[in-house]
Amino acid sequence: MSETMTLEDLAPLKGDTAAAPQARVYEKKIDAQGRAYATGKRKDAVARVWVKRGPGKITINGRDQTVYFARPVLQMILNQPLVAAKREGQFDVVCTVSGGGLSGQAGAVRHGISKALTRFEPELRGVLKKGGFLTRDARTVERKKYGRAKARKSFQFSKR
């Protein structure tokens, strides 16, 4: 009573239903002043970043990067996306950052620079994504729980 179907019977259906997925096309997003904008986040820090063509000056909260982030490690973190994209010295970066500590702020600025670069030059997306610069690091401080000294640490236990 029941008919059995073979793979040849199903072959004509394959072309109709399973269309090849189209690659997403990213386009350039620049404002009237020729800047690309992005928001970067890390821990509790939030950075608003504007990127435009220029001699490579990085300004954070109105101060030079060497003044705001005095530690060389933090300056290196800022420059990582530009170095990976081989664009150091080609873009001016202006950003305002608030919240968190210096390490979180440096990570937020790095995230913002990476996102702004992809909006300025969409073809850089592959390089920056491979380097992990476009991924928002979701690790934040765990909240303190009641009945505990800190998030997980208990008070000292005593039997007597």
Side-chain angles (χ1 to χ4, degrees), residues 81-92:
L82 296 166
V83 171
K86 296 185 177 82
R87 297 290 190 273
E88 56 262 85
Q90 295 181 22
F91 287 100
D92 281 346

Side-chain angles (χ1 to χ4, degrees), residues 88-104:
E88 56 262 85
Q90 295 181 22
F91 287 100
D92 281 346
V93 178
V94 176
C95 65
T96 58
V97 63
S98 63
L102 283 178
S103 175

